[in-house]
Amino acid sequence: MSATGLQLKSFTFNPFSENTYVLYDHTQECVVIDPGCSNKQEQQELQSFISANSLKVVRLLNTHCHIDHVLGNKFVSDTYGVPLEIHEADLEVLRAVPTYSTAYGFPQYQEVLPEKFLTEGENILFGETELQVLFTPGHAPGHVVFYHQESKNLIGGDVLFQRSIGRTDLPGGDYATLLESIRTKLFSLPDEVVVHPGHGPSTTIGEEKASNPFLS
């Protein structure tokens, strides 16, 4: 991925095996997407990577606000002095997390609310990199994905997985809406686009068009 200047590092955090992403370029500015770090050890792992690569965190982004994707929001926001950015339609999802965090085994969860809302078509700028925001509801009402057109990389959250799709049985989820998001937003991207999902291994748009059982 370095050919286009974009570097991508993924971490798998918390009991949900959630994928957290750090994206950066040669300017050493970076964005943290969906920090799922749920304990000191995971926080340290993320911090050590950022420190070892002399990165400067300039944005904190959530694809959506289910608990496994937001556990590290406060840590990243406090440590690096960056505000949280989400889609406004997921604010209610984020606000609900404290009501069930203890039941899910995270009594230590601390809330941080967004200071900025992301909108479809907006460009996320950091260093010399530009990510496009695509609105992809269905798994969550305010789900967005981040597309780097130059290197054909997509940070996809919980929309499309290798041979699977995001679950739609959580509050705000809708199966028909999710399929519509995948077909209209993701499947309109080039086949060679690499999808980096919120859980599990990466895949490509072409692979999922050809063999995803939910979309055949």
Side-chain angles (χ1 to χ4, degrees), residues 6-179:
L6 181 72
Q7 301 274 347
L8 185 152
K9 170 69 175 175
S10 68
F11 303 85
T12 302
F13 287 149
N14 71 51
F16 296 97
S17 297
E18 181 268 351
N19 293 333
T20 293
Y21 293 97
V22 175
L23 274 57
Y24 59 104
D25 65 18
H26 69 94
T27 68
Q28 292 173 304
E29 286 195 352
C30 75
V31 296
V32 178
I33 302 176
D34 292 351
C37 33
S38 61
N39 56 41
K40 287 280 190 285
Q41 185 183 337
E42 291 177 346
Q43 291 171 356
Q44 187 59 52
E45 190 183 340
L46 179 64
Q47 197 171 9
S48 294
F49 175 80
I50 290 168
S51 172
N53 290 277
S54 305
L55 301 180
K56 181 187 181 192
V57 180
V58 294
R59 313 279 292 252
L60 167 59
L61 312 171
N62 285 168
T63 58
H64 66 295
C65 298
H66 290 145
I67 188 167
D68 49 329
H69 292 255
V70 304
L71 286 164
N73 276 349
K74 185 160 175 60
F75 170 72
V76 171
S77 183
D78 286 357
T79 304
Y80 300 105
V82 287
L84 174 63
E85 303 177 51
I86 69 169
H87 191 282
E88 191 167 10
D90 240 42
L91 183 57
E92 200 177 319
V93 177
L94 180 64
R95 284 187 181 277
V97 174
T99 68
Y100 67 83
S101 56
T102 298
Y104 273 61
F106 303 104
Q108 77 284 10
Y109 172 73
Q110 289 182 287
E111 184 177 63
V112 58
L113 294 173
E115 291 179 33
K116 182 179 184 305
F117 291 122
L118 301 167
T119 55
E120 171 150 73
E122 175 183 349
N123 285 328
I124 301 285
L125 305 173
F126 64 98
E128 293 183 0
T129 302
E130 207 170 278
L131 304 175
Q132 192 180 345
V133 178
L134 305 177
F135 181 51
T136 53
H139 173 70
H143 200 298
V144 292
V145 298
F146 303 104
Y147 179 47
H148 186 245
Q149 189 171 1
E150 197 183 353
S151 67
K152 294 189 168 57
N153 280 284
L154 181 83
I155 307 299
D158 291 359
V159 175
L160 182 67
F161 298 116
Q162 186 182 60
R163 310 291 183 270
S164 188
I165 60 173
R167 57 189 291 186
T168 55
D169 58 340
L170 299 168
D174 184 84
Y175 186 74
T177 303
L178 180 65
L179 293 185

Side-chain angles (χ1 to χ4, degrees), residues 178-195:
L178 180 65
L179 293 185
E180 176 78 0
S181 289
I182 295 170
R183 290 198 171 106
T184 61
K185 301 291 174 67
L186 301 195
F187 281 6
S188 63
L189 300 173
D191 283 356
E192 61 270 28
V193 168
V194 179
V195 179

